[in-house]
Amino acid sequence: MCIRDRYLIDTYDVIVVGAGHAGCEAALAAARMGCRTLLTTISLDNVAMMPCNPAVGGPGKSHLVKEIDALGGEMGIAADATAVQMRMLNRGKGPAVYALRAQSDKGAYHRYMKNVVENTDNLDLKQVQVMDIIVEDGKCVGINTELDEEYRAKAVILCTGTYLDSMIIIGDTMYSGGPNGMRPSVGLSANLKKHGLEILRFKTGTPSRVDRRSLHMDKMELEEGDPENHAFSFMSERKDRNKRNCWLTYTNEKTHEIIRENIMRAPKYAGKIHGIGARYCPSIEDKVVRFADKDRHQLFVEPEGLDTTEMYVQGMSTSMPIDVQYAFLRTIPGFEDVKMMRPAYAIEYDLLDPLQLYPTLEVIKLPGLYSAGQSNGTSGYEEAAAQGLVAGINAALKIQGKDPFILARHEAYIGSLVDDLVTKGADEPYRMMTSRSEYRLILRQDNADLRLTEKGHSIGLVGEERYARFLERKKKYEEAMDYIRTQRFTPKEEINRALESMGTAPLTTGTGADQILKRPEMTYRKMMETLGCPAFDEEAVEEMEITVKYEGYIARQAAAVRKAARMENEKLPLDMDYLSLDGISTEARQKMDKIRPLSLGQAARIPGVSPADISVLMVYVKQRKGKKGAE
């Protein structure tokens, strides 16, 4: 059937535009929740592609992966299935910032996720170039493609990553292109602007890929995986996943000298890059300029996969000309004879201003349109996947006529991520870090399932097999906690002798097992070996130990959570006329009118909204409730 010179191909509940990490999680969530879903991509080779570092997890990001998994997402399972090395970072710090990181096989990760997508019920995968969104009566109702195809849907989720009008920059060379040599998305950005959406422009970059055979590994420091067994997913077995090594090397003064001599050939310093880049992830030329006092910068040399000789040079992102890239690479120990397989490049791209979104990630101005991932101003696979999951869940819930799914800051790192974006916006590519959460001691990566799996099950995303495993793990944890809370030891000679052998003070009175475990030098393993304490599940013991040792700190954060929850539970009407409210500053009224906060808590976090403004807003909310009650 021909409609306005386009052909209506099919009708879906949900259409997801873009099949990167955000798009895959969005589409899988919607389909698994019973929605007939279409996932589109410019190329089927793009599905869950890793165009930058070959890794999942790391500080802050591992928390997101664990939370995605706890809610029924796929990233953690895929990372476990395709890892070539795993390490637990920040072991020298507290458990709140422990961070699991996996080196991934890029090709295997793409193939794994593509296979999952292709074999998921209710989900179609198609290679199309989306040109327009279809808007009727102020609502988004579908998409048009470059081949004049039309697809209709009740909800459309944009997961366009860094493809919108993207430009590749290497020295003086600039051309329209997407990551990793893929096609860009040309035309959709202009269409979004036509519908009144505000578009920003950011920049990111990636290092060169080099041939392992041309490197001298004996001149670098070996970086092996952990001897301990790890897993991201609570569904995966903890086992040794170490199949490849990484290496550590450093830049030097000769490297920096070459960069300084050619600094005006760097596109940024030559005024050719206009997009905003990430302050926390600078290019090597930025490092040399900004940190002139540093005589070296570390570089991690990481394998891209099991069946390739490509190596990723972590820490050396650049857009310098190719001759300069070769020149400074060959000053690095181990890189004297390096052969480059892919050059480093910068990429500029369009994105939506995330202040245009509700915490559900639905566009305020265009009901039925959602946005998730790097197209919301974030960087990183993990941040993208987390947003995709949120958007997919909320699109499905809205179609089903159910309440939205919004995680508060005290419930998950995902809650902090989304709240930061839709409340504060993004003036540079946003990266999740543990410091962004004020509740990080209770939002640890190890307890993500205890915090979130019940929620995932209640919305229909966590299946029965996963839920049964969760209940079993929860039972094991409760058994370990019950023992440590109820067991007591008396100051018998053999008990005190055992304690002294462990370098800790003997007992002078009856003492609970939890109080003994709280001693800094004590671990539950030591208590098992010398005091005869029973063995429990390894993960249950880890969780129990953290709970007991940090009990006081956790209690203080829990009190802060209760206080914050009162503000979050005070909901604001969607139709509140902020511009007409007297007694509130003009800046606050304008920002609240744009952001449309859903609660007093969110309103209080908007930059430019003062405590005085919130006090006045609370009065208006109470007055409005009083009028409605009287009616």
Side-chain angles (χ1 to χ4, degrees):
M1 179 173 60
C2 183
I3 302 177
R4 298 183 305 281
D5 297 322
R6 293 186 185 272
Y7 294 94
L8 177 60
I9 303 297
D10 211 339
T11 300
Y12 291 86
D13 293 316
V14 177
I15 294 174
V16 181
V17 180
H21 303 282
C24 285
E25 294 292 351
L28 288 170
R32 288 166 174 171
M33 292 174 67
C35 292
R36 187 162 183 264
T37 303
L38 170 64
L39 177 60
T40 73
T41 175
I42 291 175
S43 169
L44 292 179
D45 294 329
N46 282 7
V47 177
M49 182 177 69
M50 291 180 163
C52 198
N53 59 314
V56 173
K61 295 169 176 280
S62 65
H63 294 68
L64 293 175
V65 180
K66 291 272 192 177
E67 290 176 353
I68 291 166
D69 180 73
L71 288 167
E74 197 67 29
M75 175 171 263
I77 298 174
D80 290 340
T82 59
V84 298
Q85 188 190 86
M86 277 194 171
R87 298 176 66 202
M88 187 69 77
L89 309 180
N90 294 339
R91 278 292 200 185
K93 303 177 182 179
V97 295
Y98 287 175
L100 183 60
R101 187 176 190 270
Q103 292 298 140
S104 297
D105 185 316
K106 286 188 173 184
Y109 191 97
H110 153 73
R111 291 189 296 273
Y112 177 94
M113 288 294 285
K114 185 169 182 281
N115 181 65
V116 171
V117 166
E118 290 176 346
N119 289 281
T120 295
D121 293 339
N122 300 318
L123 181 54
D124 291 342
L125 174 65
K126 292 181 184 288
Q127 179 172 297
V128 299
Q129 169 82 282
V130 177
M131 302 299 290
D132 310 316
I133 58 168
I134 304 171
V135 177
E136 294 178 355
D137 299 323
K139 297 180 181 179
C140 182
V141 296
I143 59 168
N144 291 320
T145 78
E146 67 177 345
L147 298 180
D148 294 328
E149 302 162 288
E150 182 174 300
Y151 296 90
R152 292 269 170 159
K154 298 170 185 174
V156 174
I157 306 174
L158 298 176
C159 300
T160 51
T162 61
Y163 286 80
L164 286 181
D165 281 351
S166 52
M167 184 74 65
I168 301 297
I169 306 167
I170 306 172
D172 293 328
T173 302
M174 302 175 66
Y175 59 90
S176 177
N180 233 25
M182 294 295 177
R183 291 179 66 193
S185 173
V186 179
L188 180 57
S189 182
N191 178 255
L192 296 175
K193 291 177 186 176
K194 185 183 76 174
H195 291 298
L197 297 185
E198 296 178 34
I199 302 297
L200 306 176
R201 193 153 180 88
F202 279 0
K203 184 271 295 186
T204 188
T206 190
S208 59
R209 274 57 158 187
V210 300
D211 192 332
R212 186 186 188 283
R213 296 169 299 174
S214 68
L215 303 179
H216 302 287
M217 301 303 186
D218 57 335
K219 296 183 179 180
M220 307 181 204
E221 299 173 25
L222 180 65
E223 292 281 318
E224 297 179 294
D226 276 355
E228 300 175 44
N229 296 333
H230 298 296
F232 275 111
S233 176
F234 297 100
M235 295 290 286
S236 301
E237 176 190 356
R238 283 196 175 194
K239 66 178 184 179
D240 184 357
R241 291 181 167 82
N242 296 314
K243 304 180 184 73
R244 290 290 186 273
N245 293 319
C246 299
W247 284 266
L248 174 64
T249 187
Y250 297 88
T251 64
N252 52 60
E253 182 50 41
K254 182 62 177 175
T255 318
H256 301 174
E257 180 184 339
I258 291 172
I259 292 171
R260 285 193 294 266
E261 288 174 351
N262 291 276
I263 198 64
M264 292 314 296
R265 297 182 66 196
K268 174 182 175 180
Y269 294 92
K272 295 177 181 178
I273 288 180
H274 305 290
I276 302 169
R279 176 173 35 88
Y280 50 80
C281 189
S283 63
I284 189 63
E285 52 266 34
D286 274 349
K287 290 179 185 178
V288 171
V289 171
R290 286 167 51 189
F291 309 109
D293 58 317
K294 299 281 187 183
D295 57 6
R296 68 177 189 172
H297 297 283
Q298 65 180 14
L299 306 172
F300 289 96
V301 185
E302 304 169 341
E304 295 254 305
L306 297 177
D307 58 356
T308 178
T309 63
E310 281 190 86
M311 302 291 284
Y312 181 88
V313 190
Q314 173 78 8
M316 200 159 231
S317 172
T318 186
S319 57
M320 297 283 271
I322 196 70
D323 61 305
V324 180
Q325 290 189 36
Y326 266 114
F328 66 61
L329 278 173
R330 287 176 172 163
T331 66
I332 297 165
F335 280 67
E336 294 85 354
D337 301 306
V338 69
K339 292 182 180 179
M340 199 183 304
M341 297 179 75
R342 304 184 201 224
Y345 62 86
I347 181 170
E348 282 192 343
Y349 57 96
D350 284 353
L351 64 140
L352 275 70
D353 183 343
L355 292 177
Q356 300 170 102
L357 309 174
Y358 285 121
T360 58
L361 298 183
E362 186 175 21
V363 176
I364 296 170
K365 293 179 180 178
L366 278 178
L369 181 65
Y370 295 75
S371 181
Q374 285 191 261
S375 52
N376 283 345
T378 59
S379 69
Y381 313 141
E382 303 84 355
E383 292 89 342
Q387 292 172 74
L389 187 71
V390 170
I393 289 171
N394 279 299
L397 290 174
K398 185 174 182 180
I399 289 168
Q400 295 163 359
K402 298 178 181 178
D403 291 338
F405 179 73
I406 299 173
L407 289 168
R409 297 182 69 89
H410 64 267
E411 292 178 307
Y413 270 73
I414 294 176
S416 295
L417 165 66
V418 173
D419 182 65
D420 282 347
L421 291 173
V422 304
T423 305
K424 301 175 183 177
D427 54 9
E428 65 175 343
Y430 178 103
R431 177 181 181 177
M432 177 50 69
M433 296 173 279
T434 53
S435 59
R436 293 194 188 272
S437 174
E438 58 271 46
Y439 305 110
R440 55 187 174 273
L441 192 53
I442 58 176
L443 302 182
R444 306 182 307 276
Q445 61 173 13
D446 60 272
N447 67 3
D449 62 333
L450 298 176
R451 292 185 278 115
L452 298 174
T453 299
E454 293 277 8
K455 295 178 184 292
H457 186 252
S458 68
I459 62 175
L461 187 54
V462 169
E464 293 308 315
E465 180 187 357
R466 180 186 284 263
Y467 190 60
R469 288 204 193 184
F470 159 71
L471 292 177
E472 181 63 24
R473 181 174 127 82
K474 184 179 179 183
K475 179 184 176 183
K476 291 176 180 177
Y477 165 67
E478 290 171 346
E479 288 173 351
M481 285 301 301
D482 181 66
Y483 172 81
I484 207 72
R485 293 292 196 212
T486 58
Q487 178 65 26
R488 293 184 66 80
F489 291 92
T490 56
K492 295 179 180 178
E493 182 180 348
E494 62 271 23
I495 295 293
N496 281 339
R497 191 163 52 245
L499 290 172
E500 289 173 336
S501 72
M502 289 185 285
T504 190
L507 303 181
T508 57
T509 185
T511 305
D514 56 344
Q515 297 305 309
I516 295 175
L517 183 57
K518 282 184 178 180
R519 297 179 177 186
E521 65 276 9
M522 188 57 65
T523 66
Y524 190 74
R525 180 175 293 279
K526 290 181 180 179
M527 293 174 69
M528 287 170 54
E529 294 171 350
T530 57
L531 298 180
C533 293
F536 292 101
D537 176 77
E538 181 183 348
E539 291 183 350
V541 168
E542 178 184 356
E543 183 74 22
M544 174 263 284
E545 239 183 86
I546 293 171
T547 302
V548 170
K549 284 183 174 290
Y550 294 88
E551 186 174 31
Y553 300 102
I554 292 171
R556 283 199 285 274
Q557 284 210 347
V561 164
R562 289 190 293 272
K563 183 177 179 181
R566 290 195 289 271
M567 293 282 281
E568 298 302 323
N569 292 334
E570 194 64 63
K571 301 303 180 186
L572 296 175
L574 290 177
D575 60 349
M576 177 76 83
D577 183 5
Y578 293 103
L579 296 178
S580 68
L581 300 183
D582 293 327
I584 295 178
S585 70
T586 301
E587 180 186 9
R589 279 184 281 141
Q590 291 174 344
K591 287 191 171 180
M592 287 192 288
D593 181 66
K594 178 180 181 179
I595 295 171
R596 313 300 302 176
L598 299 184
S599 68
L600 277 176
Q602 186 187 357
R605 291 189 294 275
I606 297 174
V609 176
S610 70
D613 295 325
I614 294 298
S615 296
V616 176
L617 182 60
M618 289 174 70
V619 172
Y620 279 109
V621 171
K622 288 179 181 178
Q623 288 177 346
R624 180 165 172 147
K625 283 183 178 179
K627 288 180 181 178
K628 287 200 171 183
E631 292 170 0

